[in-house]
Amino acid sequence: MKVLSGIVGLVLGLLPCSLVNLSAFSIPEIVVKAKPAIVQIIAVDANQNPLKRGTGFFITGDGVLVTNDHVIAGAADLFAQTDTGAIYIFRSVIFRSVSLDLALLKFAATGVPYLKLASSVHVAEGQRVIVIGRPEKLAETVSDGIISAFRNNRSSIQITAAFSPGSSGSPVLDESGQVIGIATSTSKEGQNLNFAISVETLKTAFLTSVDQPRTTDRWDPAQP
């Protein structure tokens, strides 16, 4: 319960600033400071064979991580790997939503760099954003762009910053290096049609789930 309370405080924005110094404003500075908190998620089957890869990022120093639900769907186990090759072991699902394509996971970690969740309420069309992802079998890839539009009552953010397969779950950062969205999908029907889930959607969904009865913290790999 103490751990859950701490996460609730984090989502509400009541915890102290993250260990990653987010005072930088140039893109190279933001990238250097944010990269250590971003990992590649490796989903494996029951025989520990890789099924797929995605991206995630830590939001606490003790291993709480955000990614997309479709990154973990169907896996028997998960691992998180940094750009230095360090591996973190999966412990439990804190929250997941198939419909919103969001997952909040706990990994065995202490003292890891992490990113701060900002508010996406006041971000505006035309504002610059940066995406740092881990495409399939590649190291971090950086792209920048602008917010093109808001969809579905601002729960979805359309951006021009591109990302490739394997980058689902990447943080979408504002010009202060804080997270305003989670990269989730791209459209092949047009140019630069990329979409992210707003941070407010994550906050609202998680806080709502806290008020619901919790049956188990164990992950059921049979879930979709």
Side-chain angles (χ1 to χ4, degrees):
M1 183 60 69
K2 183 178 179 181
V3 173
L4 183 59
S5 298
I7 297 169
V8 171
L10 171 72
V11 173
L12 286 172
L14 301 179
L15 295 186
C17 292
S18 71
L19 293 179
V20 175
N21 183 353
L22 298 174
S23 61
F25 292 93
S26 75
I27 291 178
E29 288 176 316
I30 290 172
V31 171
V32 167
K33 295 176 185 297
K35 278 176 64 175
I38 300 166
V39 299
Q40 185 171 71
I41 305 296
I42 305 170
V44 300
D45 63 18
N47 296 317
Q48 300 293 293
N49 297 313
L51 290 174
K52 52 188 171 181
R53 300 170 190 265
T55 301
F57 55 95
F58 289 115
I59 59 170
T60 72
D62 62 353
V64 176
L65 178 148
V66 177
T67 189
N68 289 143
D69 181 76
H70 76 258
V71 170
I72 70 172
D77 201 357
L78 304 167
F79 298 94
Q81 183 175 28
T82 69
D83 62 342
T84 64
I87 299 286
Y88 294 102
I89 306 301
F90 171 73
R91 289 294 183 234
S92 65
V93 170
I94 297 170
F95 163 78
R96 70 180 297 195
S97 170
V98 176
S99 61
L100 297 175
D101 198 18
L102 287 170
L104 201 60
L105 312 175
K106 180 69 171 69
F107 283 79
T110 57
V112 295
Y114 59 95
L115 300 175
K116 183 176 176 61
L117 298 181
S119 172
S120 56
V121 170
H122 301 296
V123 296
E125 293 175 354
Q127 182 174 326
R128 173 171 282 188
V129 293
I130 303 109
V131 177
I132 308 175
R134 294 286 301 267
E136 292 282 355
K137 301 181 181 180
L138 296 176
E140 283 92 352
T141 298
V142 180
S143 63
D144 74 321
I146 63 170
I147 295 175
S148 303
F150 298 97
R151 307 295 181 192
N152 302 320
N153 197 28
R154 293 181 68 96
S155 64
S156 177
I157 306 173
Q158 182 181 328
I159 60 177
T160 62
F163 50 93
S164 303
S167 293
S168 294
S170 300
V172 178
L173 307 171
D174 65 14
E175 292 176 287
S176 69
Q178 299 183 74
V179 182
I180 61 170
I182 302 95
T184 184
S185 65
T186 63
S187 173
K188 297 180 180 179
E189 297 178 356
Q191 187 174 11
N192 283 338
L193 297 177
N194 312 302
F195 299 92
I197 305 160
S198 73
V199 161
E200 301 307 321
T201 298
L202 171 64
K203 292 178 180 180
T204 301
F206 172 70
L207 292 176
T208 300
S209 75
V210 170
D211 294 331
Q212 304 301 316
R214 296 175 60 83
T215 56
T216 179
D217 284 332
R218 298 185 63 186
W219 183 35
D220 180 4
Q223 292 185 17

